[in-house]
Amino acid sequence: MSVIKDLEENLLQHKIKPTAMRLLVLEYLLDREIAVSLTDLYKDFVKSDRTTIYRTLKAFEDNGLVHSIDDGTGVPKYALCEEGCKCEIEKDLHLHFHCRKCGETKCLYSYKITEIILPPNYQAEEANLMVKGVCSQCSG
């Protein structure tokens, strides 16, 4: 199966209509191990409209293909969800790591948050556990 067909199938599985921009953004995200911002995407897609890129990310997020991360920089970052992720607080929480040296933010999928217990009558709508420090690349 070709790379384009694989990308199209990935989008269709998430109920996202494949377009040229969506295919390009998905491929871009798959090629990176770090979370990216709208600005990061815009820098690499200079001939593309910023609104189109934003709408692409929004469609990905709304359909469970990516999740947004608040790493404290004031700019949301986006990372691909794991296979089978539903972005449910009870099942899909993992650590995020932001390196103070290189500025990269990564999802640490292998480090799951097992359970969040809230006081009675509190309802979680979002959760984002961010660890900040120095990554293995910068500390080595």
Side-chain angles (χ1 to χ4, degrees), residues 119-133:
N121 299 321
Y122 282 70
Q123 294 181 350
E125 293 179 351
E126 288 182 40
N128 180 24
L129 185 53
M130 179 62 57
V131 177
K132 295 180 181 185

Side-chain angles (χ1 to χ4, degrees), residues 3 8 24 58 68 70 76 88 123 133:
V3 173
E8 286 176 348
L24 288 169
K58 189 70 177 138
S68 63
D70 177 359
E88 296 172 346
Q123 294 181 350

Side-chain angles (χ1 to χ4, degrees), residues 1-10 13:
M1 200 181 267
S2 74
V3 173
I4 297 295
K5 282 286 184 201
D6 289 344
L7 294 172
E8 286 176 348
E9 183 60 32
N10 195 335
Q13 285 176 356

Side-chain angles (χ1 to χ4, degrees), residues 108-122:
L108 302 177
Y109 295 112
S110 299
Y111 296 88
K112 299 286 186 194
I113 301 164
T114 55
E115 184 178 15
I116 295 177
I117 300 171
L118 296 173
N121 299 321
Y122 282 70

Side-chain angles (χ1 to χ4, degrees), residues 7-59:
L7 294 172
E8 286 176 348
E9 183 60 32
N10 195 335
L11 291 175
L12 290 170
Q13 285 176 356
H14 288 90
K15 297 178 177 41
I16 301 170
K17 181 182 175 186
T19 64
M21 178 55 71
R22 289 173 178 173
L23 292 166
L24 288 169
V25 171
L26 177 57
E27 185 175 37
Y28 180 92
L29 293 171
L30 285 166
D31 287 344
R32 280 148 188 79
E33 293 182 10
I34 60 171
V36 298
S37 68
L38 176 62
T39 303
D40 295 331
L41 278 162
Y42 192 61
K43 284 179 190 172
D44 287 338
F45 292 94
V46 291
K47 293 186 179 185
S48 299
D49 179 57
R50 190 176 182 94
T51 303
T52 303
I53 296 171
Y54 171 78
R55 287 183 181 155
T56 297
L57 287 173
K58 189 70 177 138

Side-chain angles (χ1 to χ4, degrees), residues 84-103:
C85 175
K86 303 285 185 228
C87 289
E88 296 172 346
I89 290 176
E90 301 82 21
K91 299 177 186 168
D92 298 315
L93 282 179
H94 56 269
L95 293 177
H96 298 105
F97 189 89
H98 178 75
C99 179
R100 293 189 188 276
K101 282 192 174 185
C102 66

